Amino acid sequence: MNRATEQAISKDATLEEAIRWFRTMLTIRRFDETIDELFASGKVHGTTHLYIGEEAVATGIIGALDSGDVITSTHRGHGHNIALGGDVRAMMAELLGRETGYCRGYGGSMHIADQSLGNLGANGIVGGGLPIAVGAALGFVMQKQPKVVVAFSGDGALNEGAFHEAANLAAIWRLPVVFVVENNLYGMSGSVKEMFAIGHLAERASGYGIPATMVDGNDVFSVWEAGSQAVQVARSGGGPTLIEAMTYRYKGHSKSDANRYRSREEIRDWRKRDPITHLEQHLSSHGVDHTMLNEIRDEVVQVIADALKYAEESPWPNPEILEDSVYTREDKTGA
Amino acid sequence: MIALQLPKLGSTMDEGTIVTWRVKDGDEVDAGEVLYEVTTDKVNMEVEADRSLKVVQILVHDGQTVRVGTDVAMIEGNQMTTASRSDDGLHPVERDVNRKVGQTGYRASPAARRLATMLGVRVDHIKGTGPRGRVTPADVQHYTRLQHAKPMEQRESAPPIDENVGRSSQALIGTRAVIAERMTQSAKIPQVTLTMSVDMSAVMSLRASWKDAGIDRTIVDLIFLSTARMLSETPQLNGWVQNGRFIPGATVDLGYAVDVPNRGLFVVTIPNVDRMRLDEIAQGRRIRVNRVLAGSANLKDLGSPTFTVSNLGPLGVETFNPLLMPPQVGILGLGALVGSHDAPRMHLCLTFDHRAIDGAPAAMALRRLRQLLERPGLLL
Amino acid sequence: MPEMTYAAAIRSAIEWEMEHDPRVFIMGEDIGVYGGAFGITLGLVEKFGKDRVRDTPIAEEGIVGAGIGSALVGMKPIVEMQFSDFIVNAMDQVVNQAAKIHFMFGGRMTVPLVIRGPAGAGTGAAAQHSQSLEAWFHHIPGLKVVMPAFPDDARGLLLSAIRDPNPVIFFEHKLLYKTVGEVPDSYEGIPLGSGVIRRHGSHATIITYSLMVHRTLEAAERLAAKGWDLEVIDLRSLVPMDIDLVVESVKRTGRLVVCHEAVGRGGVGGEIAARVMESEAFDYLDAPLLRITGLNTPVPYSPPLEEAFMPSVDRIAQTLETWLECEVVTQ
C-alpha cells in the first residue's frame, strides 16, 4: 500500500479499508455468480439464495465489528460468511456437498457458517436466528465480555413472531445486539408495500424502545458508518439498535423464482445503483489506479476458480457416519 | 421324460436330505406347488415346480440324503429345459417352514414357532389350544412329547440315511442342528477352562445326614447353592456378552445341562437361585429336570440362564472342558467323585469367556467355590 | 439417605449445578421471587441473583432461542417452560434450531441446553395445560427426552441433563412434584439412557415411564394377589432409550405391554412395540401387544372426564387382567 491508501476517504474509513471492502464485495459477487452458474448447469442440487446486489450490507456492517464479535446470518448468508473472512474453498465444497465443506456436507447452502470467525449460523428459517443472537448477547453480558452481536435478517423476518420476542428481550435487558434488516423490498414475492402497513421498517423498532436508523444499503460507507455507531453504542452498554439497509437482490429469491412479481425496469434501475460500481467509482475518484482494481478483480476470479476446483476434487462424505453425527461425538447413545 | 435333479440351494450346499415328498408317483402338479421339502446344512426348504408337470417316478425317497445334482425324480412337463441345473424348473423357497405364511390358516405365536423349529417339529401339524386356537409353546411341547412316544417309523421325520454315497451319515436336524449351531458359535469364543480339585468330605457328611433325616437333597443342589453365592459375589461371571457388551444378570439364573435320551442336550433354567434356599433349589431343579425328561417342559423351563452347570460325573468323567453356552460368560463342569471313601474329591471345571473376564478373577471365583464346598458352614 | 420431594430434588439439582458451574443459569416466566408456577425455583433468586435466575417476558420462542444463543457462546442454560404445553410456542427454536445445529453445521457447534417443565394431566388444568407431548420430541433426531418418576431419578437425571452437551427436554409430572422419596447424597448424576426394572415378574413385561410407573406398579401389586406375576420397567429416558433392557425382559416374559399417559396414537408406545418386533425378542413373543394409554382426545376438564382420559390404577389393572386372562394360558 502506498501512502495514499492511508488517507481517510469517508469519515474514519481509510482508503486501505475501502480497498479491502472492494475485494470482499467482489469475492461475494464472484462466489455467488459461480454458484448461479453451477445451478444453471445442473452441477449442484437443492436450492440456494444469492446475495448478488446486496454485498455492501454484509461488507459494511462486518467491517464495523471487532475480532471476537459474532453474527447470526440468514438463508441468504454466503455474503456474511465471506465478509467475515470465511474460506471460500470450504464454502464451495459445502455447496457441492463434499466432506471438506464447512459442514462436511451435512448442511448445504443455508447452513454455511464459520464459527471460528464468529458466525453462529446461517439459518433456513426466516427470523430463526434472531432469538439466538439475543441469547449470544446475553451470554456475553453474563460472562462480562464486551462483545457485540449482529443479527442479520431480511425484511420478511420482521413479520415473524421471533423478531418481536427477540427485539423485546434485547431491549428490556439492554443487550449488545445490532439488528441489521436487509430490506431488499421482497420477502420471496411478497413486496414490503403489501406486507407492511408502515412506511419504513425501522419504525417497528420504536415499539420496543429500540433506536433505529435507515441507510442506503448499496453504499458501503453509509452502511459502515451506521454499523460503527450502533456497534459502539452496543459495546458501551447502550443496548440494541436496528439498522434498516435499503438494498436489492438482482437474482430471484431462490432457484425456483421466475421473477413474476417485479418488473425488468425495476431490476434495471437498481442495477444502475450497483454497490460495487459505486465503490469502484469512489475509489477511482480518490486516485486509486484502475490497474490495481483490475488486478484485484483477476485475483478474485482466480481464487473462486481455485475454490471450485478444490471443491470438485474433494471427496464425498461417508454415509456410514451419518447416524453418529446427530449427537456430540463422544456420545453415541441417542441414535 | 426327463430327470429332476436336486438343485444347489445355497453356496455351501453339497448335499441335501429329502425330508418329505408332497407328491407321489403319477401326480400332476401345477406351477407353484411344492414338490418336496429338503433340509440342507442350514435350513429347511421347499422345492416348488415353476410350471405344470407330471411326476412319473420318485427316485430318492423321504429321509434319503443325496448329493447336489442327483436325479431325485423322473417327470414329464412342457418346455422343460435342462440347460441349467440350478434353473431346471425349480424355485427353491428358502425359509423356515414354521414361518410359512398361513396357507393353512393356523395361528401360532412367534415363541411357539421358534420352539417348534428348535425341537424340529412343524408348527402347522400342531393343534392349538391357546387363545383363538393359537398354537402356544406348551402345545409344541405337548406335541413333541407325543411324537417321541411313537415308534421311530411313525415319527414326523425319521433319521435320514444317505444311501447314495454308500456311507452311513446322519444329517443334523431339529435339536441336533440347534446344538450343532450353538456349539459352533461357542467354539469361536476365546475361552479358557480352569480345573480345581475339591475335598468333598464335608459335603459327603452333609449328604449322609440328609439321608439319615430322610430329606431329599443332592450334592448338585448344594453345588448350585454355592455356585449362586459365588456368582453373586462375582457378577462379571454371571451374565451375557452380546453385541460386544457385557450384560450382567440381574439375578443368578442357573442353567443345568440335561441329556435327554434320543433327543440330545437340553438346558433347563432355574431362575433366581441366588434368592433360594437349598430346599427350593432342590425342588425347582427336580421339577424342571423331570419335565424335560418327560418332554413336557415349557419354554420358561428352557429359559435364558445367566450361567450353566454341566454334570458329567454320573457318567464317570473326572475332568473335562465344558464349552460355553453363548451368550453366557461362564459354565461349570462337575466331574465324578474320586478318591477314597474317607477322602472323596471332585474336579470343578470352570470355563469362562476371556473377552469378559480374565484368568485371575476367574481363578479367585473358582477358589471361592471350592472354599464354600469344603466349608459349607460359610453358606449360612 | 435423606428424603425429599420430587420438586425439591429438581431444585437441588439446579442449585448444585449453579453453585459448581458458573456457566449454568436458569430463565423462565415467573421463576424469580414468585418461585415458578410450581415452586421449583423458590429461593434460587435470593441465592444466585436476578442475572442467573432470570425472569423473562411471556415469550417462549424468544427465551428458548436466547437459551440456544447463550449456549453457543459457552453458557449452560436451563429454560423453564411454565407448563410444558407452552413449548409448542417455541417449536421452531426447539426443532429447527436446537435439535439440528450440531448436525447441520457438521458437528462444529453444540447446544448444551435443558428445557424443563411440568407435563401431564390430573390437576384440572384442561386441554392446554395438561398434555404429555414427549412423542413429538422423541421423534426429532438431535433431542434427548427424559421423564423421571422418582425424586432420586429427578435429581440424578437432571444433573446429567445439565451436563450433557446436547439439548435435553426434561418433562416433570405435575402430580409427582409432591412425591417423597429417598435421594442419595451423591451428585454424580444418573446416565441418560438407562432404564430400571422396578418389579421383577414372569408373565409379561410392562414398559412405562413418569407418573405411569407408579400406577403400573400399583396395578401389578393388585394383580399379584390374583396370581399374576408382572415385570415393570421404568425407562426414565426415552431418548436415549434402554432398548436392550426391554428386549431382554420381553425375551424372559414373552409378553409386552406399554403404558403411558400421552395419547396412544403416534405415541412412544408404538415405537417401543416396533423396536421389540424388530429385535430378537420377536421370537419370544407369545401374545399380541397391549397398549394402555391416554385416550385419543385432548385432555378434558371435568373430573370424571379427566379421570377417564388418563390411565388410572383401576383402568390399568382391569385392562391388564382382561388381557392376561385372554392371552395367557396357565396350566
Side-chain angles (χ1 to χ4, degrees), chain B residues 3 18 60 78 81 97 133 139 143 197 314:
Chain B
I18 305 277
V60 177
N78 300 327
T81 165
V97 291
D139 293 332
Y143 176 82
S197 169

Side-chain angles (χ1 to χ4, degrees), chain C:
Chain C
M1 273 190 288
E3 286 206 336
M4 63 172 75
T5 64
Y6 185 90
I10 292 166
R11 185 185 309 119
S12 72
I14 298 169
E15 197 170 345
W16 176 270
E17 282 303 291
M18 286 184 69
E19 269 173 15
H20 292 83
D21 187 343
R23 297 171 298 175
V24 178
F25 72 104
I26 181 164
M27 60 180 162
E29 296 152 13
D30 311 296
I31 65 160
V33 271
Y34 193 104
F38 290 85
I40 300 299
T41 53
L42 270 176
L44 293 186
V45 72
E46 288 80 358
K47 182 161 180 184
F48 297 106
K50 290 176 76 168
D51 249 24
R52 296 182 69 200
V53 182
R54 184 170 287 261
D55 270 325
T56 69
I58 303 162
E60 288 79 11
E61 182 174 12
I63 60 181
V64 171
I68 296 168
S70 70
L72 292 181
V73 300
M75 302 299 285
K76 302 202 75 164
I78 304 166
V79 174
E80 175 172 307
M81 293 285 109
Q82 192 162 77
F83 284 79
S84 66
D85 312 63
F86 304 164
I87 199 172
V88 173
N89 289 41
M91 279 309 254
D92 174 55
Q93 291 298 327
V94 177
V95 173
N96 286 327
Q97 314 293 344
K100 296 178 175 51
I101 282 175
H102 176 74
F103 180 89
M104 71 187 176
F105 292 107
R108 296 166 69 97
M109 291 195 279
T110 56
V111 184
L113 165 73
V114 175
I115 302 174
R116 46 157 293 272
T123 63
Q128 297 169 333
H129 292 71
S130 302
Q131 296 168 90
S132 299
L133 295 176
E134 64 272 14
W136 294 15
F137 303 96
H138 158 268
H139 182 69
I140 302 299
L143 300 176
K144 296 189 175 185
V145 183
V146 181
M147 295 189 76
F150 293 94
D152 53 345
D153 285 349
R155 179 200 276 172
L157 293 169
L158 184 53
L159 288 168
S160 295
I162 297 169
R163 293 165 193 169
D164 200 288
N166 300 285
V168 181
I169 313 289
F170 193 90
F171 285 126
E172 301 148 11
H173 201 291
K174 298 177 197 78
L175 293 189
L176 293 176
Y177 278 139
K178 289 180 180 157
T179 303
V180 175
E182 287 188 345
V183 178
D185 274 326
S186 156
Y187 285 86
E188 279 223 338
I190 295 168
L192 308 185
S194 68
V196 175
I197 299 177
R198 296 285 179 201
R199 186 182 198 286
H200 289 269
S202 60
H203 287 140
T205 297
I206 309 174
I207 312 298
T208 185
Y209 51 87
S210 191
L211 176 68
M212 289 300 135
V213 175
H214 299 265
R215 296 194 174 179
T216 301
L217 285 170
E218 200 178 328
E221 284 311 313
R222 277 195 207 171
L223 292 175
K226 298 182 177 182
W228 296 109
D229 184 21
L230 299 170
E231 182 140 317
V232 177
I233 290 183
D234 175 2
L235 284 178
R236 303 200 288 189
S237 81
L238 306 183
V239 184
M241 187 184 285
D242 193 349
I243 197 68
D244 290 348
L245 185 71
V246 174
V247 166
E248 288 308 321
S249 172
V250 173
K251 281 170 69 178
R252 286 196 299 275
T253 64
R255 296 177 191 88
L256 172 65
V257 182
V258 291
C259 177
H260 56 63
E261 178 183 329
V263 296
R265 188 166 65 219
V268 171
E271 170 68 11
I272 296 167
R275 292 188 71 173
V276 168
M277 296 300 147
E278 290 167 345
S279 78
E280 60 192 272
F282 172 79
D283 274 332
Y284 294 77
L285 285 174
D286 195 29
L289 160 82
L290 176 67
R291 281 192 290 171
I292 306 172
T293 67
L295 304 183
N296 291 328
T297 70
V299 181
Y301 166 66
S302 168
L305 298 180
E306 188 178 32
E307 169 74 12
F309 164 82
M310 59 196 296
S312 61
V313 176
D314 283 348
R315 167 148 59 111
I316 296 169
Q318 279 160 18
T319 311
L320 276 171
E321 191 174 3
T322 307
W323 176 82
L324 287 162
E325 279 171 355
C326 181
E327 300 296 345
V328 185
V329 180
T330 48
Q331 262 84 16

